Amino acid sequence: MNYSRIGFAALGARFGALIGVFAVCGFALHNHMILNIGVKLTVGQASAYFVQWLVVGIGISLIMRQHTRLDGGRYSIQEPRCPRHC
C-alpha cells in the first residue's frame, strides 16, 4: 500500500477504528455480559466508544502530521528543532 496517496486523516481514522473495535469488544460487551445491562445500553456504549476512539485517532494523526515528513513514499518522524543551539 502506498501511504503517500492516503491522507493523514484517513490513516488516523483507520487507527481509531482499530482501537474502537478493541474498546467495543473489551468494554461494552464485557459490561453486557458481566454487569447484565440491557441491549439498548450496550449498543449505546458501543457506539459511543467507537465514535470517541475514531475522533481520537483522527486527532492524533492531525497532530502528528506536523512532526512527519515524506521520504520517498515513507513517513518518518522529524526531530524537534531547538530554538537555540542545544
Side-chain angles (χ1 to χ4, degrees), residues 3 6 8 18 23 34 40-41 66 69-70 73 81 84:
Y3 289 110
I6 299 175
F8 282 94
L18 178 68
I34 302 299
K40 186 176 179 181
L41 185 58
Q66 300 169 0
R69 68 170 189 254
L70 185 62
R81 295 180 183 162
R84 295 183 226 168

Side-chain angles (χ1 to χ4, degrees), residues 26-65:
F27 299 112
L29 295 179
H30 174 267
N31 290 342
H32 178 70
M33 292 183 288
I34 302 299
L35 300 176
N36 293 324
I37 62 175
V39 174
K40 186 176 179 181
L41 185 58
T42 302
V43 170
Q45 277 186 344
S47 61
Y49 283 145
F50 186 79
V51 170
Q52 287 171 359
W53 278 108
L54 191 67
V55 170
V56 167
I58 293 171
I60 290 171
S61 70
L62 293 177
I63 290 170
M64 288 304 296
R65 179 181 183 180

Side-chain angles (χ1 to χ4, degrees), residues 1 5 10 22-23 29 38 45-46 60 65 68 77 80:
M1 180 184 295
R5 294 186 182 191
F22 174 75
L29 295 179
Q45 277 186 344
I60 290 171
R65 179 181 183 180
T68 57
I77 296 177

